Each structure stands twice: as structure tokens, then as C-alpha cells.
Amino acid sequence: MKRTLLLSTILAVIVGSTPVLAAESVQVPAMAVQVWPEGEPGQMLVVVSAEIPPGAELPAAVDLPLIEGAELLWSGEVLGGDPNADIEREGTLVEATGGQALRIGLESGRVAQYEAVTGRLAVDGDEVSGTVRWLQSVRTPVTRFSVRLPSGAREISVRPAAVLDPRRNRAGELLYTLPDREIEPGDEVSVDVSYRRAAAVLPASGSGQGGGAGGGSTVLIVVLGAVAAAAGALALMVHRRSTAEQAQP
């Protein structure tokens, strides 16, 4: 069952499944932000991850910036295999530079992640558009951005412009890798996306059946940024808690 928590109404401290870790154990790794229009129906989904270095001792913790007003869907440790084996953890809401952050404890894995929706998309016929305003409320050496678009998207506009040709997974979804950014705490970056949805697929004459796209249970595993790809660094996995078959990229 999906647990949701409206960030604008939660208390300053959330009682999690593990104790709050000491401040000296908080790590400052590179971060990845994946913007996913229609990751939830009609909404903008954002997936934020950070991986601590191999030599860092466990337990540890990571502070991930929160977008104001976002609705948290999942947070915890990503172990890198079956998403159902990942460890769901509530975090601690902490004050940060210009905003707030979610502190996630790590005991078994090295990747902290949360998934949240940040509001409704603008939809006009088959045209979809939205903006994510990312406030870098905690210090990090680099923030890596990407945009994931649904199968069949056309007339696509992504700003900032992608640095690589888009990748496509087996479900037909596209992943655009945006420039890596070194962002000072308190500074903001906007990611703007617009596209047209795929035209409706009409049934062949006499077939009586139409085509259909896969559901939201797709898991997309990506390495973000040219530097990250070369180093084999950070991977994102989206947790779609569903009994539906998951399509692999």
C-alpha cells in the first residue's frame, strides 16, 4: 500500500523506523534528480537519490532537499536489485538553507532516495507542460538532472537542453540527461518540460481491439550524467508498488 504524507503539514520531526543518526554521520554525496511528468496520473513526479562513497561507514545518513509543498510517496534505502527488497524508511525533516530537507538513515545500503509529486501538470488537449523548481537547500558537490517522458511523446521541449541523445527503454519511455550542475546552497534551478501525447491508436479494420501502453509499474534504471555514466556511479529506481508485471528497460 502506498504511503503518502503531505510535506507542508508534517511536524518538524517525523518518527521513523530507525533512530535519528548523529549529525557527524550525515554524508554529503552527489545527488540525482529525475523529473517525470505523468509519473503519477496528471502529476509531476520527482525522484531524488544520493549514493554515499564505498568507503563511508554505516550507519550513515543523507539529507535530500525537499520541494516545498511536495507530497511524499516513498523514501528509504535502495539496495540495487529487486525494488521490493528495498527498505522503506520514514525520515527526519530538517531545516536547511532556504528550505527543508529529508534526512534518510542508511543501515544496509548506500543509496538514499525519495519519490514525491510536486503538483498538477498543465494539460491542453494533447499538450502537457510543467515546471519543477529545484531549491538546493543542502550542500553537494554536483546535482545531476534528468527528465523521463512517456512513450509516444512528440514535439518535445526540455529546458535546460539535454547533453545527450535520449535513451529509450523497452516500454518506449525516453530519458533525457541534462547538464550536471554545481549549485550553491540556497540557489534554485528550474526544469521546464512540454510535449504532446501520442496520438490515439485506432483499431485495425475488423480487429475489434485497440492498442494500449503499459501501466505505471515500469521500473527504469538509469545512470545519470556523462560523468556518472563514465564512472558507473548513481542509479535511480522508481518504486511502483503494484502486482502488475514490471517492464525492464
Side-chain angles (χ1 to χ4, degrees):
M1 179 181 295
K2 182 188 297 179
R3 298 182 181 180
T4 62
L5 184 61
L6 188 61
L7 296 177
S8 60
T9 62
I10 57 179
L11 300 175
V13 176
I14 306 170
V15 179
S17 57
T18 59
V20 177
L21 297 171
E24 58 266 25
S25 67
V26 177
Q27 302 292 310
V28 189
M31 295 182 182
V33 180
Q34 186 179 108
V35 175
W36 186 7
E38 300 188 275
E40 290 288 314
Q43 295 181 295
M44 183 78 83
L45 180 69
V46 176
V47 183
V48 182
S49 289
E51 181 177 12
I52 64 173
E57 293 185 1
L58 297 175
V62 174
D63 290 351
L64 300 177
L66 291 176
I67 297 172
E68 183 177 2
E71 182 184 349
L72 189 66
L73 303 181
W74 190 91
S75 62
E77 300 184 55
V78 172
L79 303 181
D82 179 2
N84 292 307
D86 293 341
I87 303 170
E88 184 171 8
R89 297 195 188 280
E90 293 179 345
T92 303
L93 195 64
V94 296
E95 294 300 319
T97 304
Q100 295 178 317
L102 187 68
R103 180 167 295 171
I104 300 174
L106 297 173
E107 292 187 347
S108 302
R110 296 189 173 274
V111 178
Q113 179 170 302
Y114 77 76
E115 298 152 23
V117 290
T118 63
R120 305 296 300 180
L121 292 161
V123 180
D124 182 8
D126 63 355
E127 186 173 354
V128 179
S129 62
T131 296
V132 169
R133 291 181 173 85
W134 174 259
L135 174 66
Q136 190 69 51
S137 59
V138 302
R139 185 170 295 281
T140 180
V142 65
T143 305
R144 300 182 171 109
F145 293 91
S146 66
V147 174
R148 174 179 177 177
L149 295 180
S151 175
R154 55 198 174 89
E155 298 181 32
I156 296 165
S157 173
V158 177
R159 297 193 305 269
V163 296
L164 299 173
D165 290 336
R167 299 181 183 183
R168 187 185 301 271
N169 70 357
R170 292 179 184 175
E173 295 169 315
L174 296 170
L175 183 78
Y176 286 81
T177 300
L178 308 188
D180 292 352
R181 299 291 295 267
E182 297 179 9
I183 312 171
E184 290 296 319
D187 287 350
E188 187 177 276
V189 171
S190 290
V191 177
D192 302 301
V193 183
S194 67
Y195 58 93
R196 291 188 181 275
R197 289 171 171 157
V201 178
L202 299 178
S205 177
S207 68
Q209 294 183 347
S217 62
T218 301
V219 174
L220 181 65
I221 304 173
V222 296
V223 178
L224 300 183
V227 175
L234 193 59
L236 285 185
M237 300 178 68
V238 177
H239 295 73
R240 317 311 303 147
R241 303 301 185 181
S242 170
T243 57
E245 181 179 359
Q246 296 178 336
Q248 296 295 335

